[in-house]
Amino acid sequence: MKVLIVGSGGREHAIAASVIKNKRVSKLYCAPGNGGISQLAECVPIGAMEFERLVSFAKEKAIDLVIVGMDDPLVGGLVDCMEEAGIPAFGPRKNAAILEGSKAFSKELMKKYHIPTAAYETFDDPVKAMEYLKTSSFPIVLKADGLALGKGVLICNSLEEALEGVKSIMLDKQFGTAGNRMVIEEFMTGREVSVLAFVDGKTIKPMTSAQDHKRAKDGDKGLNTGGMGTFSPSPFYTKEVDDFCRKYIYQATVDAMAAEGRPFKGIIFFGLMLTSQGPRVLEYNARFGDPEAQVVLPRMKNDLIEVMEACLAGTLENIELEFEDNAAVCVVLASEGYPLEYEKGKLIRGLETFEGKEGYYCFHAGTKKTEEGIVTNGGRVLGITAKGKELKEARKNAYEAVKWVDFENKYMRNDIGKAIDEV
Ligand code: AMP
Ligand code: GLY
């Protein structure tokens, strides 16, 4: 079986590491991949948005399964293009990936189907948005409608900040065309939890929970990033919370998408906030989280390919998802300056230390293979994951393992998983 993964981050490295465990996989390709993925797969220099080239490549190599890891190609319709060419592809079609691609769409869906989420209004006109804000209470949340690398959300503490926010999203187009429309949403407080789930169009099977740390600096300070570290499971995701979400959120979302004529196959990522009134949906993503995948997949006992095949075949109800009874923590090693400006091309030393170390993983994100060795090639460089019997041990192990690798301008948060001390 020949598999092609589309993407180039730590998430795709984690997917690749799971995929190659399947004995039927005789050849793995990744487009475009990165320095770490190139040790498991043949990386091909085709960008994730070059749909025609990706389809030609998949046809030429007779690929049996394409796995689309990233949001942009999913929202752009890469799965549809592959299917039109007769190539099985894992991920939602364009008409279902809109669940992530448009916050206005996802908010309307939740309202229509009574899925618990923050109250909101949608605006196409900045003047109307500003008028609305003058009657609002603060803090309030502004969200660019479209994809913005996880950065299109502004939490505004005053009217002045919010008016400035509308200007930057809708007029100055800080997030490009993603800001043509905007959602203004009630501010909620509580713990955040990420739950990823496999979906086959009608059945949904949630995976173990995780929590991300989106801000760049310790103590949840600094700018929003793609994610600076994760832990799994979340001790705040109790049985009671799980029961509520299964009853009012997970299946309800899948049924709503099917009822809208947009059956969802692939991964739904539920960004949840555990408020005092119960769990609420913060956002949906249409793919594995990054770096959530780096703590969830290493704990999954099932064969990833088999679960993906069941999603494509519509037979997910026959699959029992199983996770190890342990914990994992992932600490992201970034380039100093991320998410703003940072330098690239720094030699990474110590990668070989991970070889043969059971329970430790070094997932590459922004890295590149060169003649001198593997060098940094992005803001988030590596995701260091370690398992442990429970969260505290996993965290201790992960913070031990981050010392094994070094590069100039190495930056990380030192408090990934600190919240678990409160349990
Ligand atoms: P999103 O991309 O929608 O997940 O938003 C990014 C981050 O902004 C979330 O992880 C939350 O920390 C925060 N956020 C989003 N929506 C809200 C909200 N309604 N209330 C409070 N915080 C929010
Ligand atoms: N870690 C959050 C995301 O993948 O969007």
Side-chain angles (χ1 to χ4, degrees):
M1 174 178 193
K2 295 183 193 163
V3 178
L4 166 65
I5 298 174
V6 178
S8 58
R11 164 185 48 213
E12 285 74 25
H13 194 181
I15 293 172
S18 291
V19 163
I20 50 153
K21 288 197 263 173
N22 182 301
K23 300 261 183 325
R24 282 188 291 138
V25 175
S26 53
K27 180 78 189 173
L28 180 61
Y29 295 96
C30 188
N34 63 34
I37 297 172
S38 70
Q39 289 156 0
L40 307 175
E42 184 176 332
C43 291
V44 282
I46 306 179
M49 294 307 285
E50 296 182 79
F51 291 4
E52 275 178 33
R53 292 185 64 205
L54 287 170
V55 171
S56 312
F57 178 82
K59 279 210 276 204
E60 181 195 315
K61 299 291 181 190
I63 298 292
D64 299 291
L65 177 65
V66 177
I67 301 169
V68 186
M70 292 169 72
D71 47 358
D72 284 301
L74 289 167
V75 170
L78 178 56
V79 168
D80 307 55
C81 295
M82 289 291 173
E83 284 180 353
E84 279 157 26
I87 301 154
F90 179 82
R93 291 184 186 148
K94 185 175 181 169
N95 74 350
I98 191 176
L99 191 62
E100 170 164 9
S102 167
K103 296 207 188 273
F105 171 86
S106 68
K107 294 298 292 190
E108 264 163 55
L109 187 88
M110 287 186 267
K111 189 190 254 182
K112 184 168 170 190
Y113 293 92
H114 310 292
I115 297 167
T117 188
Y120 77 101
E121 295 287 337
T122 301
F123 296 91
D124 295 304
D125 176 354
V127 176
K128 293 219 170 96
M130 290 185 184
E131 275 166 20
Y132 173 81
L133 286 169
K134 287 180 188 152
T135 63
S136 305
S137 51
F138 296 88
I140 204 156
V141 185
L142 309 187
K143 297 187 174 184
D145 177 51
L147 295 181
L149 292 170
K151 294 166 196 150
V153 174
L154 302 177
I155 295 176
C156 303
N157 289 306
S158 65
L159 177 61
E160 292 68 43
E161 258 182 57
L163 295 176
E164 198 50 44
V166 175
K167 183 170 169 293
S168 71
I169 293 177
M170 295 192 91
L171 297 171
D172 302 344
K173 300 278 188 229
Q174 191 190 344
F175 308 109
T177 53
N180 289 350
R181 294 174 101 189
M182 200 178 70
V183 166
I184 301 184
E185 182 173 287
E186 169 201 5
F187 176 76
M188 302 187 287
T189 51
R191 291 264 169 219
E192 286 186 42
V193 183
S194 306
V195 175
L196 318 182
F198 290 97
V199 187
D200 73 356
K202 50 186 196 301
T203 299
I204 179 161
K205 294 276 165 118
M207 296 176 233
T208 182
S209 61
Q211 185 182 321
D212 191 8
H213 299 65
K214 288 210 170 94
R215 302 292 199 98
K217 302 210 166 120
D218 284 7
D220 288 329
K221 304 255 163 45
L223 295 170
N224 257 323
T225 69
M228 293 298 294
T230 37
F231 58 86
S232 170
S234 162
F236 309 104
Y237 190 80
T238 58
K239 171 89 174 56
E240 190 189 2
V241 171
D242 184 57
D243 287 345
F244 180 96
C245 294
R246 283 174 194 265
K247 193 160 169 198
Y248 298 108
I249 296 178
Y250 302 151
Q251 190 66 49
T253 301
V254 174
D255 293 346
M257 290 299 282
E260 292 293 309
R262 299 170 183 275
F264 193 106
K265 286 190 182 193
I267 304 288
I268 300 184
F269 167 136
F270 297 85
L272 303 169
M273 190 172 270
L274 311 181
T275 75
S276 55
Q277 278 108 54
R280 300 279 180 274
V281 177
L282 275 174
E283 63 159 347
Y284 293 115
N285 293 317
R287 50 171 173 85
F288 278 106
D290 187 345
E292 282 86 346
Q294 291 91 313
V295 284
V296 169
L297 287 176
R299 298 186 51 231
M300 189 164 101
K301 291 190 191 171
N302 304 71
D303 181 294
L304 181 60
I305 291 282
E306 279 174 20
V307 182
M308 288 181 166
E309 284 176 333
C311 290
L312 294 187
T315 56
L316 191 59
E317 65 180 331
N318 302 331
I319 301 257
E320 192 68 48
L321 285 188
E322 283 187 279
F323 288 83
E324 292 170 3
D325 182 20
N326 58 10
V329 169
C330 173
V331 178
V332 169
L333 301 184
S335 305
E336 178 92 55
Y338 173 74
L340 299 173
E341 278 175 38
Y342 49 84
E343 291 177 17
K344 297 185 195 174
K346 311 290 183 194
L347 187 68
I348 308 175
R349 290 172 295 267
L351 291 167
E352 64 289 345
T353 320
F354 285 85
E355 281 164 25
K357 291 252 177 26
E358 181 103 11
Y360 292 87
Y361 306 79
C362 176
F363 295 120
H364 293 225
T367 73
K368 193 168 78 177
K369 200 159 131 188
T370 67
E371 275 171 21
E372 293 97 81
I374 305 252
V375 300
T376 66
N377 192 39
R380 292 191 291 176
V381 177
L382 300 169
I384 306 297
T385 296
K387 290 189 202 171
K389 280 197 294 294
E390 35 67 54
L391 283 162
K392 284 185 188 163
E393 188 184 284
R395 179 177 57 186
K396 191 172 133 282
N397 293 345
Y399 274 108
E400 191 55 41
V402 295
K403 297 183 200 150
W404 302 346
V405 273
D406 201 23
F407 53 89
E408 212 182 300
N409 296 341
K410 171 175 151 185
Y411 172 81
M412 67 184 165
R413 274 181 65 160
N414 293 294
D415 63 348
I416 302 302
K418 192 157 182 279
I420 58 189
D421 295 335
E422 295 165 30
V423 183

